[in-house]
Amino acid sequence: MELISVPLSAALLTDGRGVGGRFVVAHSESALARGLDLDEHVVVVDPDGEFHAAEVIDVRFELTDTHYELELGVRLPPHVVRDRLAGARGTRRRGDRDRVDTGDVLEMLGRLRDAAGEDLRDDPWGGPGAGPRPV
């Protein structure tokens, strides 16, 4: 899995939501050793030092460069980033197929976030009709 550093914070890339934003990375401006493939999953780090999952949703080839459109996913804790970059993600032993790991939970949360409507996603109170959260 590849690590890509971006010059803007996740909040700026996503209009303050921190997830779900789409942005373009030029291959020539990245430190990538190889090209990325469509639907490939990568890790993005912003200037604030926050790590996020991201997916390549489009690849555009030009004469002088290649541009990757990425969609920012969930924020990743450092131990998950370390495991993903080391290639541990997706390497399960026989008999572990029913075992759920942190990566599975993060992916599920990302899918739930994506399925939620904009109103629910941006509501600081927790959803339509919900009251303030207790302190």
Side-chain angles (χ1 to χ4, degrees):
M1 185 165 293
E2 300 293 324
L3 176 66
I4 300 172
S5 178
V6 294
L8 298 173
S9 71
L12 289 174
L13 288 171
T14 60
D15 296 325
R17 288 194 318 256
V19 293
R22 293 180 175 192
F23 58 98
V24 176
V25 174
H27 186 86
S28 63
E29 295 176 8
S30 71
L32 293 169
R34 63 169 184 83
L36 299 177
D37 295 319
L38 189 62
D39 299 326
E40 184 172 350
H41 293 267
V42 296
V43 175
V44 172
V45 61
D46 70 13
D48 299 328
E50 291 194 6
F51 295 97
H52 290 263
E55 182 177 357
V56 179
I57 57 172
D58 191 27
V59 179
R60 282 172 266 170
F61 300 99
E62 297 177 3
L63 289 176
T64 57
D65 206 352
T66 301
H67 293 87
Y68 308 105
E69 185 175 354
L70 304 176
E71 184 167 21
L72 203 63
V74 296
R75 199 169 125 215
L76 300 172
H79 71 280
V80 172
V81 172
R82 182 185 62 240
D83 292 346
R84 286 187 178 196
L85 294 178
R89 182 81 182 111
T91 57
R92 294 187 176 169
R93 295 182 309 271
R94 185 186 302 185
D96 284 349
R97 68 173 184 230
D98 294 330
R99 185 174 175 201
V100 176
D101 65 11
T102 306
D104 295 324
V105 173
L106 290 171
E107 288 175 14
M108 179 194 65
L109 290 173
R111 286 193 304 273
L112 287 172
R113 181 213 57 231
D114 293 342
E118 289 295 321
D119 294 335
L120 179 62
R121 188 180 308 164
D122 294 333
D123 187 350
W125 300 108
R133 294 181 183 151
V135 180

